[in-house]
Amino acid sequence: MSELKVQVINESPDTLTLEITGLGKDLVNGLRRACMAEVPTVAVDEVLFVENTSPLYNEYIAHRLGLLPLKTPGEPEQLAQLSMDIEEGRPPTTRIDYQLRQECPNEAEGPLTVYSSDLKTIGEDSTVEPVNKNVQLFKLGNGQIVEFQAFARYGIGLQHAKFSPVSPVSFFFKPVLKFDKEKQFNCEEHVSICPVDCLRYTDGELMFTDAWKCILCRACEKDCKTGAVQILWDENAVRFTVESTGSLQPRTIVKTAALILVMKMRRVRDALKAQRVKEEAVN
């Protein structure tokens, strides 16, 4: 296995793309799954309705609230430990309380739209608020009232999808072009058949202009009747993309997921050591 290298290709408040070399597809996939299912976030987990005269069921409104991304505090080290505690049946006691009361006047000319910004925190912890303030929760008709209290807690995606901090997490391998000069025949024609224009023919050799632009459609390989062109991929080099729901920064998600994997491997190591000591004591 080659030396591990990580390079940031693209970064925005919601998206992070990394180029990872030397990690191996199994560990990369483990990192992807940890991002989706094991990084903890805060989400609404319980709703107590005081009044609801709208045509919407309580369960429908509670479901909408649960899927509303909330800004989650915490550093990667803290979040990784929280994840381990949750998986071991020791969830944190932290709870964030919200309240909402909206009434559409009888004299209103149209329905009243209730937004995520109408959800107000109760207490001092006002930092855990909806990521987007303009999410439409529901609408109320004339004379209709909705009043409730909502309670948010930490959780992980393994428990419920509402706790997952990401939308898609994906990776793809680096394309590789193998070219046999001895079999080539009119190979310059393959350049024009590439749908993403990532090929060039120079000095009797067909090559990539940018390997990462290749979509592995193999149009050039299929067009080559002599078998001179072969499209493969390098499983030791990947582009890894994380798109956050906004609950956590993409860097925080990746760092937390990596720490969770390390902590789990350490526990496996310690368990093996303990088993070895036990066996030696018996013998």
Side-chain angles (χ1 to χ4, degrees), residues 183-185 187 190 219-229:
K183 295 181 180 180
Q184 68 168 314
F185 179 75
C187 287
H190 304 328
C220 55
E221 181 178 325
K222 295 172 185 176
D223 190 58
C224 181
K225 307 304 180 184
T226 63
V229 180

Side-chain angles (χ1 to χ4, degrees), residues 191-245:
V191 174
S192 60
I193 205 167
C194 177
V196 292
D197 193 25
C198 67
L199 296 175
R200 74 165 181 262
Y201 187 75
T202 307
D203 298 330
E205 185 169 355
L206 189 69
M207 62 186 71
F208 282 131
T209 56
D210 182 0
W212 290 109
K213 288 179 62 178
C214 177
I215 58 174
L216 298 175
C217 67
R218 288 197 164 107
C220 55
E221 181 178 325
K222 295 172 185 176
D223 190 58
C224 181
K225 307 304 180 184
T226 63
V229 180
Q230 189 177 11
I231 301 296
L232 304 171
W233 53 85
D234 182 4
E235 295 185 354
N236 203 40
V238 302
R239 284 276 175 94
F240 186 88
T241 300
V242 176
E243 185 176 328
S244 169
T245 62

Side-chain angles (χ1 to χ4, degrees), residues 1 22-32 240 261 265:
M1 185 176 290
L23 188 57
K25 63 178 182 180
D26 298 324
L27 287 176
V28 172
N29 191 46
L31 183 65
R32 180 186 69 88
F240 186 88
L261 292 179
M265 291 301 102

Side-chain angles (χ1 to χ4, degrees), residues 35-108:
C35 288
M36 292 190 299
E38 299 187 56
V39 176
T41 64
V42 174
V44 172
D45 196 44
E46 183 181 353
V47 182
L48 176 62
F49 284 88
V50 178
E51 186 175 6
N52 180 14
T53 61
S54 75
L56 303 176
Y57 293 113
N58 293 351
E59 293 82 0
Y60 176 86
I61 296 176
H63 181 71
R64 294 275 295 171
L65 293 170
L67 295 178
L68 185 67
L70 302 175
K71 294 180 181 179
T72 300
E75 296 298 319
E77 293 78 10
Q78 298 170 319
L79 294 171
Q81 187 58 55
L82 274 176
S83 177
M84 301 299 290
D85 292 342
I86 291 171
E87 288 197 41
E88 292 176 358
R90 294 181 283 109
T93 57
T94 304
R95 192 183 82 177
I96 300 92
D97 299 350
Y98 302 89
Q99 65 180 4
L100 182 145
R101 188 186 191 282
Q102 289 292 324
E103 178 179 358
C104 182
N106 288 314
E107 62 275 11

Side-chain angles (χ1 to χ4, degrees), residues 94-265:
T94 304
R95 192 183 82 177
I96 300 92
D97 299 350
Y98 302 89
Q99 65 180 4
L100 182 145
R101 188 186 191 282
Q102 289 292 324
E103 178 179 358
C104 182
N106 288 314
E107 62 275 11
E109 296 182 358
L112 172 67
T113 302
V114 180
Y115 292 92
S116 53
S117 57
D118 297 318
L119 198 62
K120 306 301 181 183
T121 55
I122 304 173
E124 298 179 356
D125 196 352
S126 60
T127 59
V128 184
E129 58 184 5
V131 173
N132 299 307
K133 298 296 185 66
N134 61 343
V135 176
Q136 294 186 17
L137 298 179
F138 49 86
K139 292 185 178 183
L140 298 176
N142 292 22
Q144 294 176 356
I145 302 172
V146 169
E147 181 179 0
F148 60 77
Q149 285 188 332
F151 311 107
R153 298 181 178 88
Y154 279 97
I156 56 178
L158 284 173
Q159 297 173 308
H160 195 284
K162 65 185 177 184
F163 292 114
S164 180
V166 295
S167 298
V169 182
S170 62
F171 67 90
F172 64 95
F173 302 119
K174 184 177 183 178
V176 175
L177 189 155
K178 282 192 173 183
F179 183 70
D180 190 343
K181 286 187 176 182
E182 296 181 358
K183 295 181 180 180
Q184 68 168 314
F185 179 75
N186 292 336
C187 287
E188 62 273 11
E189 297 178 359
H190 304 328
V191 174
S192 60
I193 205 167
C194 177
V196 292
D197 193 25
C198 67
L199 296 175
R200 74 165 181 262
Y201 187 75
T202 307
D203 298 330
E205 185 169 355
L206 189 69
M207 62 186 71
F208 282 131
T209 56
D210 182 0
W212 290 109
K213 288 179 62 178
C214 177
I215 58 174
L216 298 175
C217 67
R218 288 197 164 107
C220 55
E221 181 178 325
K222 295 172 185 176
D223 190 58
C224 181
K225 307 304 180 184
T226 63
V229 180
Q230 189 177 11
I231 301 296
L232 304 171
W233 53 85
D234 182 4
E235 295 185 354
N236 203 40
V238 302
R239 284 276 175 94
F240 186 88
T241 300
V242 176
E243 185 176 328
S244 169
T245 62
S247 297
L248 294 167
Q249 292 293 317
R251 276 183 182 249
T252 302
I253 295 171
V254 175
K255 288 180 181 179
T256 303
L259 286 171
I260 291 170
L261 292 179
V262 170
M263 293 171 73
K264 288 191 170 185
M265 291 301 102

